[in-house]
Amino acid sequence: MTRQPQQPFLTRRAAIQLLLVPFCTSFLGFGLGFLFLLIVPAARVHAIDIFAWLWLGLSILTLLLLRTVARRNGVTFHQIGFAKPNIKFLHLLWQIPSLIIIALIVQAIVASLIGLEPPKDRGVDIVHQASFAAGIAAAIAVSLLVPLWEEITFRGVLYGVVRARLGASLAVIITGILFAAAHINPILTPYLLVMGLGLGFIRAFHQNVWASVIAHATLNSLVTLLVFLALI
């Protein structure tokens, strides 16, 4: 992979604070959700709907906090890695389908070799089991909001920090591994690892986080669409 120009400087303090935002909101938010269900047993019958709306709310909160923390540290979206889309984005027309095919093939091969059960995505399960309104809320989170804050975190802040110290190739590899690990889904690890590496490659290829956001949102949207079609 060719060496790229270094992105504008992002201070260690700003990087740490930005990286802490999504992890804190996710762990604290879902932790409080589980605690609420433990304290209020009667609410457990609506657990799927509660977590669907919680997912949407936490995604919005995460994006707002990322924006607030960035502003307080004088960080612009350009420093994180966002730039105006250009004609080079047409490469996404082959990159996205290729990434889907490779990820599915790798998942299938690994599953057959070690006897994994068919992969199940917990986010898709929520969309499938929730009421219609809560399903729409979860779908919006899965398809649009989660890809945005995950890409800001992994292919924006984290990628930029690692690339500045170790170069683009290691930045793609390290962020891809951490992306897969952060989802805490052993059965889907092969798929998530390929996705993480592929999104990192797209980020490096375009030198623009918007490219990986579009790819990530497209992939999640396709999965969500398939789930809704299965319910019809």
Side-chain angles (χ1 to χ4, degrees):
M1 192 173 294
T2 58
R3 189 169 181 83
Q4 303 171 20
Q6 296 295 308
Q7 70 179 42
F9 182 71
L10 190 65
T11 66
R12 180 179 299 181
R13 176 183 175 182
I16 291 174
Q17 289 183 4
L18 288 168
L19 290 172
L20 283 175
V21 167
F23 293 103
C24 289
T25 55
S26 296
F27 283 112
L28 290 177
F30 284 109
L32 289 174
F34 281 112
L35 181 61
F36 172 74
L37 293 179
L38 288 174
I39 296 174
V40 187
R44 294 173 190 174
V45 68
H46 302 294
I48 297 297
D49 282 14
I50 290 172
F51 279 103
W53 286 106
L54 182 62
W55 203 359
L56 176 62
L58 288 176
S59 295
I60 294 172
L61 176 62
T62 298
L63 288 169
L64 290 175
L65 288 175
L66 284 170
R67 183 170 179 267
T68 300
V69 171
R71 281 191 169 185
R72 289 186 175 180
N73 284 278
V75 175
T76 65
F77 281 102
H78 176 65
Q79 286 176 285
I80 294 174
F82 287 90
K84 185 177 180 180
N86 52 51
I87 192 68
K88 195 176 179 181
F89 271 40
L90 290 176
H91 283 286
L92 290 171
L93 294 175
W94 67 264
Q95 290 170 341
I96 294 174
S98 298
L99 179 54
I100 295 173
I101 293 170
I102 294 172
L104 292 176
I105 290 174
V106 170
Q107 178 69 39
I109 292 173
V110 174
S112 64
L113 289 176
I114 62 177
L116 286 176
E117 296 179 3
K120 293 181 67 177
D121 188 289
R122 285 177 292 237
V124 173
D125 285 344
I126 290 178
V127 174
H128 188 280
Q129 299 173 28
S131 66
F132 182 77
I136 293 296
I140 293 173
V142 172
S143 302
L144 300 175
L145 303 182
V146 171
L148 181 54
W149 68 254
E150 283 190 348
E151 291 309 306
I152 291 174
T153 303
F154 290 99
R155 258 65 63 175
V157 179
L158 186 58
Y159 175 90
V161 170
V162 177
R163 187 185 69 174
R165 291 161 174 76
L166 302 175
S169 296
L170 282 177
V172 170
I173 295 171
I174 291 172
T175 56
I177 293 172
L178 292 176
F179 175 80
H183 283 77
I184 317 176
N185 193 329
I187 294 177
L188 270 178
T189 295
Y191 174 86
L192 290 167
L193 181 58
V194 174
M195 291 296 298
L197 294 173
L199 291 170
F201 168 79
I202 289 173
R203 172 14 180 149
F205 180 90
H206 293 275
Q207 299 185 41
N208 194 335
V209 179
W210 277 124
S212 59
V213 169
I214 292 171
H216 195 161
T218 301
L219 294 166
N220 282 18
S221 296
L222 287 174
V223 173
T224 304
L225 177 61
L226 290 175
V227 172
F228 273 110
L229 290 177
L231 295 176
I232 296 177

